[in-house]
Amino acid sequence: MSSLPGSSAPQRDVDRVAPALADALPALHRALDRLVARDYALPKPPEGHLNLLRHVAEHEGATVREAADALLMKPNNVSALVSQLTEQGLLERRQDGTDKRVVRLHPTAVARRRLGEVRALQVSHLTEALLSLTEGEMDALGSALGALHSLTRGLRSAAH
């Protein structure tokens, strides 16, 4: 396993934090996912669908290859998701204006609305949970956000 470049953290801290994060982050994600699924009016779309829809909403006109690279997925798997989401009326495929061989992906209005609904539920549940924390815990989480973003960038780079 390679370490992230530029780390100045003592090894004992890394050895303590890495397993704790490996346990905490998936547990946090599962708990939030279950709460959203419970409260969402429709069956909650699978996480892979949501990730692709989010990416396309943020990078309108992306290609399947670009989405696959960004989501760290195989292009054939993204292509299959695109087919499913197109059939469900959540994505549109449009030919590129200059190169007819290239297909660009665009979210539909329904997809944007559903993404907004899921996001609102996520934020609502997180807000409620955050309100139960102490001021010190909130400060610690706020301070950790920058580090979590850096950690994510490092892991994404290593995964490419």
Side-chain angles (χ1 to χ4, degrees), residues 28 123-145 148:
L28 174 67
V123 169
S124 173
H125 285 296
L126 283 169
T127 298
E128 187 176 329
L130 289 169
L131 289 171
S132 71
L133 299 181
T134 66
E135 188 175 337
E137 290 169 327
M138 271 301 299
D139 289 345
L141 276 176
S143 296
L145 288 175
L148 286 170

Side-chain angles (χ1 to χ4, degrees), residues 28-50:
L28 174 67
H29 184 267
R30 279 191 308 276
L32 184 58
D33 190 56
R34 287 204 177 118
L35 288 168
V36 170
R38 180 193 73 192
D39 295 342
Y40 192 56
L42 301 167
K44 183 186 159 289
E47 199 60 33
H49 290 197
L50 288 173

Side-chain angles (χ1 to χ4, degrees), residues 38-108:
R38 180 193 73 192
D39 295 342
Y40 192 56
L42 301 167
K44 183 186 159 289
E47 199 60 33
H49 290 197
L50 288 173
N51 288 337
L52 178 57
L53 289 171
R54 280 186 201 108
H55 178 77
V56 172
E58 293 170 8
H59 303 92
E60 189 145 353
T63 65
V64 168
R65 163 79 55 199
E66 292 165 349
D69 288 346
L71 297 172
L72 304 175
M73 294 177 66
K74 293 179 181 176
N76 61 324
N77 292 341
V78 172
S79 184
L81 286 178
V82 167
S83 294
Q84 293 171 19
L85 293 169
T86 300
E87 289 172 15
Q88 294 171 22
L90 299 173
L91 275 183
E92 294 177 355
R93 293 179 175 125
R94 298 181 196 160
Q95 267 188 337
D96 185 85
T98 56
D99 186 347
K100 300 298 181 199
R101 298 170 297 172
V102 176
V103 174
R104 303 254 171 221
L105 304 174
H106 299 270
T108 64

